[in-house]
Amino acid sequence: MRVLAIETSCDDTAAAVIDATGVRSSIVASQDLVHGPYGGVVPELASRQHVLAILPVIERALATAAITLADVEAVAATHGPGLVGSLLVGLQVAKGIALERGLPFIGINHLEGHLLAIFLEREIEFPYLGLLVSGGHTSLYVVEALGRYRLLGRTRDDAAGEAFDKGAKMLGLGYPGGREIDRRASAGDRAAVHFPRATLKSGGYDFSFSGVKTALRQVLLAGREIPLDDLCASFQEAIVDMLVTRTMTAARTLAIQTIVVSGGVSANSRLRTRMAGAGAADRRAVAFPRLAYCTDNAAMIGYAGRARLLRGERHDLTLNAEATLPLGLVERAAALPGRS
Ligand code: KG4
Ligand code: ZN
């Protein structure tokens, strides 16, 4: 089954063609230049930009796969979670194509796409722990099977990428700033400043990054002369530490052998090193999809869409965009240990 997939949940316009041989094309048009001056995604601008980019991006995806619309056998599109104005652009175009061509259609949860992106490159055994870290999400899931996701914890405030970006803004670095912090941190002293690591009273696997952000602001207000590289390294270490600690605790508690990290923040070199080190020390496998499949893309939506379509699942064309579309049920730590 040859699937055209479309993803417009945030600020990237993406289309891909997936078939039995794998990814035939995956095109992403970034809006970073549009949002950069504002230091964050401006929803209204994102929707307008999607409207301009969506058809050319689809045309490029088809051309790169050396097919035309007539060769497409089914359509998949992200229908949540995300910015409604952004989601609607891709979703409506996908439904329009399905209607016009009389093709099966399926809506996909963006988070499911991220959690399954690793399958674009390799097989992995269930269950695995999926750490999803991006500009919009920081969540830890047990991926039990295709379509069965158990949410262990998520951020109570900022996403990890958002914390990186806001920190970068305070430090006068550009947007999105995660990569710049990563680059500067490699030359900095991780122990120069001790930033707080959030431990939540209720236990469990939720994350919180507002404390480290506030701490950075206080350090800057205090006016101490700390080299920028050292600030970046210390700030990054606190965020990475929280991500690695929670994830490894969950892996041990639930006796899960494989960990998959995805989302834009998984590009972070320190996170990669620390996760790989913790995995090796614990004899657990740690996998990262290639970067192009970690950041927002339509190939991952195509993978999830195709897998569901092959199981006979379909949505009708009344499917709507949902800003807060949930994935998986939250289980609190107290309920977990006996369940591995
Ligand atoms: O998944 P993604 O491309 O987009 C969405 O969140 O939708 O993730 C982007 C996020 C941004 O916050 C960006 O600063 C962060 O990923 N990021 C990084 C790095 N590269 C991208 N954060 C830390 N270190 C990096 N090397
Ligand atoms: Zn994403």
Side-chain angles (χ1 to χ4, degrees):
M1 181 185 275
R2 194 176 294 116
V3 178
L4 171 65
I6 296 173
E7 149 67 44
T8 61
S9 64
C10 188
D11 61 339
D12 290 307
T13 316
V17 175
I18 310 290
D19 66 13
T21 65
V23 182
R24 296 280 303 272
S25 64
S26 179
I27 306 294
V28 181
S30 160
Q31 301 181 3
D32 281 354
L33 290 177
V34 175
H35 303 289
Y38 302 93
V41 176
V42 184
E44 172 71 17
L45 293 180
S47 317
R48 287 168 186 270
Q49 209 55 36
H50 284 308
V51 170
L52 294 175
I54 188 71
L55 294 181
V57 164
I58 291 173
E59 274 162 16
R60 266 181 66 205
L62 294 173
T64 306
I67 63 168
T68 70
L69 213 46
D71 303 309
V72 171
E73 293 169 315
V75 186
T78 307
H79 72 111
L83 300 168
V84 165
S86 289
L87 287 163
L88 279 170
V89 177
L91 183 62
Q92 290 306 108
V93 169
K95 291 198 290 188
I97 293 171
L99 178 67
E100 201 267 331
R101 316 265 346 153
L103 299 175
F105 164 77
I106 189 142
I108 292 295
N109 185 308
H110 180 80
L111 305 181
E112 176 174 51
H114 273 303
L115 289 174
L116 298 180
I118 188 77
F119 286 101
L120 290 166
E121 303 186 282
R122 54 182 280 197
E123 290 297 318
I124 251 182
E125 276 187 30
F126 298 111
Y128 60 88
L129 212 51
L131 174 67
L132 172 50
V133 271
S134 71
H137 304 279
T138 298
S139 309
L140 188 60
Y141 280 93
V142 181
V143 181
E144 296 174 335
L146 178 85
R148 282 219 327 263
Y149 311 98
R150 190 146 58 95
L151 178 60
L152 295 178
R154 63 183 152 195
T155 182
R156 301 250 180 119
D157 36 64
D158 288 340
E162 211 176 347
F164 271 113
D165 294 341
K166 288 178 180 171
K169 199 172 174 179
M170 284 185 238
L171 293 168
L173 307 171
Y175 171 84
R179 198 186 313 154
E180 190 58 18
I181 289 191
D182 188 356
R183 201 179 64 77
R184 290 188 164 272
S186 61
D189 174 7
R190 296 189 284 269
V193 183
H194 182 77
F195 286 105
R197 274 70 162 156
T199 46
L200 301 167
K201 281 201 192 85
S202 59
Y205 300 109
D206 279 355
F207 301 91
S208 169
F209 300 104
S210 62
V212 65
K213 211 179 56 187
T214 307
L216 176 61
R217 185 173 295 118
Q218 282 165 348
V219 168
L220 293 174
L221 285 175
R224 277 165 58 197
E225 291 282 317
I226 303 165
L228 185 54
D229 291 355
D230 289 356
L231 274 175
C232 287
S234 303
F235 181 71
Q236 170 177 278
E237 195 65 10
I239 295 176
V240 168
D241 206 34
M242 286 186 266
L243 294 171
V244 174
T245 308
R246 292 278 196 291
T247 306
M248 296 315 292
T249 304
R252 279 182 216 125
T253 308
L254 302 176
I256 295 177
Q257 290 307 317
T258 309
I259 297 157
V260 177
V261 189
S262 65
V265 178
S266 66
N268 185 268
S269 57
R270 184 66 184 153
L271 179 62
R272 287 185 172 241
T273 306
R274 289 274 317 267
M275 283 300 302
D282 240 21
R283 299 206 181 163
R284 286 173 222 279
V286 178
F288 293 83
R290 84 168 71 156
L291 205 51
Y293 298 150
C294 273
T295 53
D296 284 352
N297 67 89
M300 66 185 190
I301 302 305
Y303 179 85
R306 187 169 178 277
R308 285 183 176 274
L309 286 159
L310 288 173
R311 294 203 312 198
E313 295 180 30
R314 307 278 185 271
H315 279 127
D316 69 43
L317 300 180
T318 60
L319 186 75
N320 210 343
E322 287 185 51
T324 57
L325 189 67
L327 182 76
L329 298 171
V330 187
E331 295 197 21
R332 290 292 157 203
L336 289 174
R339 295 230 17 194
S340 61

